Amino acid sequence: QAQLVESGGGLVQPGGSLRLSCTASGITFSLYPMAWYRQHPGKEREVVAQIFTDSNTHYADYVKGRFTISRDNVKNAMYLQMNDLEPEDTAVYYCNVKFSGVLNYWGQGIQVTVSS
């Protein structure tokens, strides 16, 4: 059983920065592709950034140049550095581990609120 825990969220002003962290027990991050998703109230969960086992990355267009996803296999952690935040970035952010093509592990979600 994998347990994923997100941290680092909170309230920031537009243009500010946050770094989200995801740590885990029961799963070794280095073996699997991982991602950050986010979900606005009443909307479907959407992928924000992905990082693969070879450390290649992919970003949603709306965060390119602002967000950076990274992983630390020694610490068994994944991060999302979020810069130049906008009100539209307000959402619950989720850590994701793609265990297989049809099986995913999820964190509990963490709130990010961008407001002046």
Side-chain angles (χ1 to χ4, degrees):
Q1 181 179 356
Q3 298 285 345
L4 309 180
V5 179
E6 301 98 338
S7 62
L11 173 65
V12 296
Q13 297 183 24
S17 298
L18 287 173
R19 189 179 76 157
L20 303 183
S21 298
C22 176
T23 57
S25 61
I27 191 169
T28 301
F29 281 180
S30 63
L31 301 177
Y32 306 100
M34 299 184 67
W36 287 97
Y37 284 70
R38 70 186 186 187
Q39 187 168 22
H40 298 90
K43 298 184 179 180
E44 293 185 352
R45 193 171 298 181
E46 61 188 22
V47 64
V48 175
Q50 300 167 288
I51 186 164
F52 304 99
T53 54
D54 61 1
S55 294
N56 284 331
T57 58
H58 182 268
Y59 296 91
D61 287 343
Y62 49 80
V63 304
K64 286 182 178 178
R66 299 190 298 123
F67 292 8
T68 302
I69 188 172
S70 62
R71 64 196 300 165
D72 186 333
N73 292 333
V74 174
K75 296 181 178 179
N76 211 39
M78 181 180 65
Y79 307 98
L80 184 67
Q81 179 66 47
M82 303 185 293
N83 298 324
D84 196 22
L85 285 160
E86 304 170 351
E88 292 76 16
D89 296 317
T90 297
V92 176
Y93 285 71
Y94 295 88
C95 176
N96 166 265
V97 177
K98 191 175 182 65
F99 184 76
S100 73
V102 296
L103 178 61
N104 291 269
Y105 292 107
W106 298 94
Q108 82 284 2
I110 189 165
Q111 180 70 45
V112 171
T113 301
V114 185
S115 176
S116 60

